[in-house]
């Protein structure tokens, strides 16, 4: 059975984000095919997709390598998110379905509960699902795809500190959902813009020359796994 290229792409992207494939490191088709238990064909297709997304570059005499974005490129990503997240929320207020609202409200309830308990790891995952669902509720596949790529690349380039007040942060999530539920696009846009700008302050570049070693999370370099055949994880 032929392994879908998108599954291979997801696996390679996840490992780039996790630091398994380091910035500037070579990505040879043969090694990747052996690592993920696939043929070279889906690996080749995946590398083309990842190059289009900005995770991979092709270098003369070296072939495919993990990209090495500059600090300015990383800063641009945060600025793009500050612009696009509010747009997605505004559109969600007009296009969301009851199913979207049900999921968003459920995530807010869980987030508020975990925030009161101080479970930061759960909050990180819940926050990601919240913003992914909010983007999907915009009814714009192109915008959703762009926001998803932004989240992947920001996770790769930045370490994110927990918000100083998780309870307040999840109260902001709840207010956004209330505005979306009422169909108030302007308020949803304004609340999301404020929330995103506040969250941006907690981002610290992983590869900044001025960053102290203590501020950098340990990189995982030994993970190895076959492609998840059940589908992409994101």
């Amino acid at each position: 059975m032929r392994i879908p290229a998108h599954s291979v792409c997801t696996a390679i992207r996840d490992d780039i984000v996790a630091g398994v494939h380091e910035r500037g490191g070579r990505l040879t088709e043969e090694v990747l095919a052996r690592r993920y238990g696939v043929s070279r064909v889906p690996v080749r297709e995946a590398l083309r997709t990842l190059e289009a997304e900005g995770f991979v570059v092709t270098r003369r005499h070296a072939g495919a390598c993990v990209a090495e974005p500059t600090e300015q490129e990383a800063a641009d990503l945060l600025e793009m998110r500050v612009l696009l997240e509010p747009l997605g929320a505004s559109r969600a207020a007009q296009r969301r379905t009851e199913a979207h609202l049900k999921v968003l409200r459920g995530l807010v309830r869980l987030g508020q509960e975990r925030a009161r308990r101080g479970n930061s790891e759960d909050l990180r995952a819940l926050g990601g699902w919240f913003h992914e669902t909010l983007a999907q509720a915009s009814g714009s596949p192109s915008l959703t795809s762009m926001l998803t790529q932004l989240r992947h690349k920001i996770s790769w380039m930045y370490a994110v500190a927990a918000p100083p007040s998780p309870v307040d942060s999840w109260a902001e999530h709840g207010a956004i959902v209330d505005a979306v539920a009422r169909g108030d696009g302007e308020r949803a846009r304004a609340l999301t813009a404020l929330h995103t700008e506040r969250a941006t302050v907690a981002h610290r570049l992983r590869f900044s020359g001025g960053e102290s070693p203590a501020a950098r999370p340990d990189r995982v370099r030994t993970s190895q796994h076959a492609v998840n055949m059940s589908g992409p994880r994101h």
Side-chain angles (χ1 to χ4, degrees):
M1 182 176 71
R2 187 173 183 274
I3 309 299
H6 68 74
S7 296
V8 182
C9 183
T10 297
I12 298 173
R13 186 195 299 111
D14 284 353
D15 279 347
I16 289 175
V17 171
V20 175
H21 304 301
E22 295 186 334
R23 297 171 67 250
R26 291 187 63 189
L27 297 168
T28 60
E29 292 179 9
E30 182 179 359
V31 171
L32 292 174
R34 187 165 58 247
R35 176 185 183 82
Y36 299 107
V38 298
S39 72
R40 293 175 65 170
V41 173
V43 168
R44 189 174 304 125
E45 295 179 22
L47 289 176
R48 283 198 292 265
T49 298
L50 291 169
E51 184 167 17
E53 293 180 356
F55 286 96
V56 172
V57 295
T58 300
R59 292 177 176 159
R60 191 177 182 183
H61 305 309
C65 301
V66 178
E68 297 181 88
T70 65
E71 292 188 25
Q72 183 58 61
E73 289 170 333
D76 288 345
L77 294 177
L78 294 181
E79 186 173 356
M80 290 169 63
R81 191 178 67 170
V82 169
L83 295 172
L84 293 179
E85 291 266 12
L87 173 61
S90 176
R91 289 189 174 180
Q94 308 304 322
R95 302 177 180 179
R96 88 294 184 279
T97 65
E98 288 302 316
H100 289 132
L101 287 178
K102 182 177 181 180
V103 174
L104 288 168
R105 284 169 172 154
L107 289 170
V108 168
R109 283 195 298 271
L110 283 174
Q112 291 174 337
E113 176 186 328
R114 299 297 193 276
R116 288 192 293 270
R117 294 181 181 179
N119 193 326
S120 59
E121 287 305 312
D122 279 357
L123 290 178
R124 193 180 302 275
L126 288 170
W129 292 334
F130 176 88
H131 287 285
E132 183 173 344
T133 304
L134 186 63
Q136 291 171 353
S138 72
S140 172
S142 296
L143 180 57
T144 301
S145 177
M146 290 179 67
L147 285 169
T148 298
Q149 284 191 35
L150 279 175
R151 279 192 294 274
H152 287 318
K153 294 179 81 171
I154 289 170
S155 294
W156 173 37
M157 298 183 196
Y158 289 92
V160 184
S165 177
V167 173
D168 290 344
S169 178
W170 278 93
E172 293 174 5
H173 284 106
I176 292 168
V177 174
D178 289 342
V180 168
R182 292 196 305 270
D184 190 340
E186 285 306 310
R187 180 160 177 76
R189 181 194 294 266
L191 289 171
T192 303
L194 181 60
H195 175 75
T196 306
E197 288 170 1
R198 286 175 175 168
T200 297
V201 178
H203 289 67
R204 296 291 180 271
L205 273 173
R206 297 182 187 275
F207 56 86
S208 173
E211 185 181 36
S212 67
R216 291 195 303 267
D218 292 336
R219 288 183 176 178
V220 180
R221 297 186 177 88
T222 58
S223 171
Q224 184 163 344
H225 54 78
V227 172
N228 182 357
M229 292 297 297
S230 62
R233 283 173 283 177
H234 295 283

